[in-house]
Amino acid sequence: EPEVTQTPSHQVTQMGQEVILRCVPISNHLYFYWYRQILGQKVEFLVSFYNNEISEKSEIFDDQFSVERPDGSNFTLKIRSTKLEDSAMYFCASSDVGRGANVLTFGAGSRLTVL
Amino acid sequence: AQTVTQSQPEMSVQEAETVTLSCTYDTSESNYYLFWYKQPPSRQMILVIRQEAYKQQNATENRFSVNFQKAAKSFSLKISDSQLGDTAMYFCAFGGDNNNDMRFGAGTRLTVKP
């Protein structure tokens, strides 16, 4: 069964450092997403990406965040200058349709720890 | 804005018994989709079941079924014949037709006891 893969599974970084989280969505999917889950809390939407541009973003997704699809397979989330409160599990997801009908397939997540 | 509320932070059930997890939501949209996702200790998010709001018939997937009450904006998940592998966090989620961001509830931690 096709799956979304994420790397790294766990990253530890110092506050103020840049971090790039990588995702390989399912190959025939067109919509890509990043979600965040702070430990013990709900899953929160960060950003959706379609046709090589951001289609929607939440208030969490401020100027320190950016996303990119540098080639035909990878979808990356960059955090420019990490803060302690960025420590969370970051989930990438993809879907073949957009809007409410989208059934998201999630990756296993990347755990980010900011010290 | 849409909100999703799961009022049961934790629940437990004996193996082979039935358990129902509650979810309510708020929206002004007429067409939308509702989902239950499971997050086992591995932390991966796995789709359990999906319901289209325009369908009156409740969705079922093997031991999992929903009770969708559109007027009451309620979407509960029933797990029959609970198995130890059902132990996980369960998230209710809402997908509106006007946007791409899926909204999640706070989750219910379900423990299936032997």
Side-chain angles (χ1 to χ4, degrees):
Chain A
E1 189 172 325
E3 55 181 37
V4 175
T5 56
Q6 289 186 241
T7 55
S9 57
H10 188 194
Q11 181 157 355
V12 181
T13 190
Q14 294 290 323
M15 193 168 58
Q17 295 295 304
E18 177 183 281
V19 160
I20 297 176
L21 305 179
R22 291 183 168 80
C23 170
V24 179
I26 293 174
S27 60
N28 63 341
H29 283 185
L30 302 175
Y31 298 82
F32 314 114
Y33 312 83
W34 283 101
Y35 283 78
R36 178 181 83 175
Q37 185 182 31
I38 294 171
L39 187 64
Q41 298 187 24
K42 69 165 68 176
V43 178
E44 300 172 295
F45 170 76
L46 291 178
V47 65
S48 60
F49 192 86
Y50 170 71
N51 200 25
N52 285 319
E53 61 182 22
I54 290 173
S55 50
E56 283 169 77
K57 60 182 181 179
S58 72
E59 56 276 6
I60 302 169
F61 194 86
D62 60 23
D63 291 343
Q64 70 158 344
F65 290 95
S66 63
V67 289
E68 199 175 41
R69 190 158 160 81
D71 52 44
S73 59
N74 289 288
F75 178 53
T76 62
L77 173 70
K78 182 193 289 186
I79 309 174
R80 246 177 287 282
S81 177
T82 49
K83 302 191 283 275
L84 295 176
E85 54 265 37
D86 294 327
S87 293
M89 196 77 165
Y90 289 81
F91 291 100
C92 175
S94 68
S95 65
D96 57 355
V97 294
R99 301 299 179 191
N102 52 359
V103 175
L104 271 57
T105 301
F106 284 86
S110 292
R111 182 185 300 279
L112 176 65
T113 302
V114 182
L115 303 175
Chain B
Q2 296 86 5
T3 57
V4 180
T5 303
Q6 292 179 251
S7 58
Q8 305 152 314
E10 292 189 28
M11 291 192 74
S12 63
V13 63
Q14 290 296 131
E15 195 175 6
E17 299 283 299
T18 294
V19 64
T20 298
L21 309 183
S22 302
C23 173
T24 58
Y25 58 93
D26 189 27
T27 184
S28 57
E29 296 188 41
S30 57
N31 195 31
Y32 49 88
Y33 300 78
L34 296 161
F35 308 83
W36 279 97
Y37 277 87
K38 169 184 176 180
Q39 187 181 42
S42 65
R43 304 300 299 275
Q44 181 140 17
M45 299 283 286
I46 303 165
L47 178 68
V48 175
I49 200 164
R50 170 184 182 235
Q51 173 83 41
E52 293 93 336
Y54 62 85
K55 285 189 177 177
Q56 291 186 335
Q57 187 172 5
N58 288 325
T60 62
E61 283 288 342
N62 302 313
R63 297 183 294 108
F64 299 87
S65 62
V66 298
N67 183 5
F68 174 47
Q69 301 287 327
K70 190 171 183 179
K73 295 190 171 71
S74 168
F75 181 61
S76 60
L77 174 70
K78 185 170 85 171
I79 306 174
S80 305
D81 186 25
S82 299
Q83 299 175 0
L84 297 178
D86 295 333
T87 293
M89 280 289 282
Y90 286 82
F91 291 97
C92 178
F94 172 100
D97 236 16
N98 293 330
N99 48 57
N100 271 324
D101 60 325
M102 184 177 289
R103 301 280 173 161
F104 286 81
T108 296
R109 184 178 303 282
L110 176 68
T111 302
V112 179
K113 298 179 178 178

